[in-house]
Amino acid sequence: MIASCLCYLLLPAARLFRALSDAFFTCRKNVLLAKSSSSQVEGDFAMAPRGPDQEECEGLLQQWREEGSSQVLSTVSDGPLVDKGLAESSLALLMDNPGEQDAAPEDKWSSRQLSDLRAAENLEEPFPEVLGEEELLPEVEGPMWAAVPVQTGPQYTDCAVLPMGALATEQWDEDPAMVAWSIAPERVPQEEAAVWPFEGLGQLQPPPVEIPYHEILWREWEDFSTQPDVQGLEAGDGPQFQFTLMSYNILAQDLMQQSSELYLHCHPDILNWNYRFANLMQEFQHWDPDILCLQEVQEDHYWEQLEPSLRMMGFTCFYKRRTGCKTDGCAVCYKPTRFRLLCASPVEYFRPGLELLNRDNVGLVLLLQPLVPEGLGQVSVAPLCVANTHVLYNPRRGDVKLAQMAILLAEVDKVARLSDGSHCPIVLCGDLNSVPDSPLYNFIRDGELQYHGMPAWKVSGQEDFSHQLYQRKLQAPLWPSSLGITDCCQYVTSCHPTSSERRKYSRDFLLRFRFCSIACQRPVGLVLLEGVTDTKPERPAGWAESVIEEDTSESEPDVPRTVGTIQHCLHLTSVYTHFLPQHGRPEVTTMPLGLGTTVDYIFFSAESCESGNRTDRRLYQDGTLKLLGRLSLLSEEILWAANGLPNPFCSSDHLCLLASFGMEVTAP
C-alpha cells in the first residue's frame, strides 16, 4: 500500500511542479496588486495560466480525499525528508486553493493529520514557501526597485523599474537644450510603489519634466535707447519719432503641404491653418508693431483672413503675389495713424527672355511719411523707405540671388532718392535665403562685391557644393545691359536723365518744310476735290527742294560697366549681430531639418563700424535712423528643446524679427 501511494504521488510530479509554480506567481501577483496602484503591474501578471492542468490538480485532490488521506499522510511521514517535504508542500498548496476551501473544511481532518501538517511546515523545504495574501514579502538584500508607471504608448508596453534611492534623492536638473524633439510628457506623481526582488527588468530614466513653451522660447527685449553710440552720444537725445517694425516669414500653407517631409516632427494639429492663424494673430497683437513685413503670405488666406483681421487691428495693407502660378507673396502693412503713404512700388524679378531672371520671386517697396504729433509744433521728419522681399531659395543659384537683389536695390535707390541726390532712411527686410557673412550678406552690408569667377553656390553660403565636379561660376557682366540697371544697382534713367520725349519746335522751323520735295508730292489715294486737292503747290523762287535738318538727336547714354564688381550706395547694416554672447552660440531664425541657421534680416540705414569684436552689439554709427531696441533671437539648442519649428507656441518655421527705431525730428 505504501509503495502504491508513493507511485501515485511521484507519477504526476511534473503536473504538481507546474501547479506549484502557477500558484506561487499567482500569490505574488495578489501581494503586488494589494500594494501597488499601477494598472500596468496588474497587466504583467494577469496572464497567470489557468486551464486543464489546474482542473487535473483539483480532480487529483478529490480522488485523494476519497481514498483516504490518513494512509497517505502516515506513509509519507515515514518516508525520506525530500519526499515528505514535497508531499506536504503540494498538499498545503492544494489546500490553499480558494476554490476548494469551502468543499474541504478543517473539521473533516483528524487531529493526527493536522498535527502532521503543522510538523511538516517546520521542516526546511527545497522549494520557496507559498505565501498567503495576508503575508508580507521577505526583505531582499541589495538595492530596492519601485514600479514606476510610464506613459502609455507603442514604445512602452510594460512598466519599468527605477532605484528607489534615485527617486528619493536625485534631482531632475534638466537643461532645456538637452530635451529631445518629442514633447516632454507630464511628470508622474510619486506614490508609494510595490517592491519586489526580481532582477533582469529593463531600466528607464525619469520622464523629462514638461517645460512651458513660453519659458523655453523666452525672448528678451534688448534696449539700446540709453546706450551711447561710438561717438559717446545718447541715443535718446533730442526729440525723436519712434516706431517698431516686424519682419516675419509666416509659412504659406501650400508650401508646407508641398514639402511635408520637413515637418514630420510636428503633430498634425499644430500644422492646421486655423490653429496657426490664431497663433500668428496673437503674436501680432502681443508685439503690436507699427510696420509689419510678411513673407510667404498665401493669397487666399490674405484676402479672406489676414487682411480683414489686420485691418481691424488698425493696419493698412499692401500685397504682391509671386508671378506665374505661385500662390504666395509678400505683404507690407502699416498703421495710418503713424504713417502716410507717399508711394508703393511692387517689384517683379521675372524678366521674359532672360535665363538669369526666370524666377517668380517678388518684392514690395513703400515710401512712408511719418506723422508727427501736434504737440511737437512745426517740425518735420524725413520720409521712410521700407522694402520687403523673399529671395530665391535654390542654394546653387547664387547668380539669380544677386540679380534679384540688384533689382530690389535699384528700386529702393529710385524710391528713397531725395531731390539733393541723397537718400532718406531705409529699412530693408525679408527672407534673403543667405547666411551671415556670405558674399550676398557682405554685399548688402559693405556695398561692394567682387563676384567674377565665384562659384554660384558660394554666394548664399547655405550649402557646400565644393565636392561636385561641375560648378557654375559667375561671369562678368552678371546681367545684360538690356536690364537697364548699372553695376551700381541703379536704374539707367536715374544715373543719366534724358531730355523730354516731346520736342518743342518754333514756327519758323516748321515753315521750312512747307515746300520741301515730300510736301509737293501728291499723296497716294488722295480724293480729288475741285479747288482743294486738284492743284499742285508751286515752290517759290529760291526755295530749296530739300531742307537740311539739324542733328538734334541725343545719343543713348553710355552705361559704364565694371569688370566683375557690383556696388550700391545705400549704407545698410544689420539690426542683429547673429551671435549670442551669453550662450556662446550663433543666432537662429529658422530650423530646416533640425539644423538651425539665419536667413531672415532687417537692414537699416547706418554707417558700419570697423570692429573685430563679434560680441559687441552696436557695430554701427547712428545716423538719421537710430536703433533703439530689438527682440533677441534664440540658439539652435533652445529650439531643439521646443521640438523645433513649428511648435505649439510658434506656428511658423521661422522666428519673427522685431526692432525699434528712432528718427530725428528737425525744425523747418
Side-chain angles (χ1 to χ4, degrees), residues 131-181:
L131 300 177
E133 294 186 1
E134 295 82 4
E135 296 177 337
L136 299 177
L137 289 174
E139 294 184 0
V140 181
E141 298 180 358
M144 304 300 291
W145 297 85
V148 179
V150 298
Q151 188 176 13
T152 305
Q155 67 273 28
Y156 301 120
T157 56
D158 299 326
C159 66
V161 293
L162 286 171
M164 293 184 63
L167 292 176
T169 60
E170 292 185 3
Q171 299 292 333
W172 292 356
D173 295 331
E174 290 193 12
D175 184 358
M178 303 303 296
V179 184
W181 273 75

Side-chain angles (χ1 to χ4, degrees), residues 26-201:
T26 303
C27 183
R28 290 282 187 177
K29 169 206 167 186
N30 295 334
V31 174
L32 292 176
L33 289 179
K35 295 185 177 182
S36 176
S37 60
S38 173
S39 60
Q40 292 188 355
V41 174
E42 182 180 0
D44 290 342
F45 294 94
M47 301 303 295
R50 296 180 59 87
D53 294 337
Q54 188 167 354
E55 296 178 357
E56 292 180 4
C57 293
E58 295 175 356
L60 177 62
L61 177 61
Q62 185 67 23
Q63 183 179 2
W64 180 43
R65 288 171 179 169
E66 294 176 355
E67 292 182 359
S69 59
S70 58
Q71 297 179 0
V72 177
L73 289 175
S74 59
T75 305
V76 173
S77 61
D78 299 334
L81 180 62
V82 175
D83 294 339
K84 177 180 179 180
L86 174 61
E88 294 294 333
S89 299
S90 302
L91 180 60
L93 170 64
L94 296 177
M95 289 176 60
D96 194 53
N97 192 333
E100 298 295 336
Q101 287 180 358
D102 297 337
E106 186 177 351
D107 56 1
K108 292 185 178 181
W109 296 87
S110 63
S111 59
R112 179 182 175 183
Q113 294 169 344
L114 293 176
S115 61
D116 292 340
L117 287 175
R118 294 190 182 97
E121 291 177 357
N122 297 328
L123 299 178
E124 296 182 358
E125 297 177 359
F127 302 98
E129 182 181 3
V130 179
L131 300 177
E133 294 186 1
E134 295 82 4
E135 296 177 337
L136 299 177
L137 289 174
E139 294 184 0
V140 181
E141 298 180 358
M144 304 300 291
W145 297 85
V148 179
V150 298
Q151 188 176 13
T152 305
Q155 67 273 28
Y156 301 120
T157 56
D158 299 326
C159 66
V161 293
L162 286 171
M164 293 184 63
L167 292 176
T169 60
E170 292 185 3
Q171 299 292 333
W172 292 356
D173 295 331
E174 290 193 12
D175 184 358
M178 303 303 296
V179 184
W181 273 75
S182 59
I183 300 177
E186 294 184 359
R187 184 173 179 176
V188 180
Q190 297 182 3
E191 299 179 356
E192 184 179 358
V195 180
W196 72 87
F198 302 129
E199 298 181 357
L201 297 181

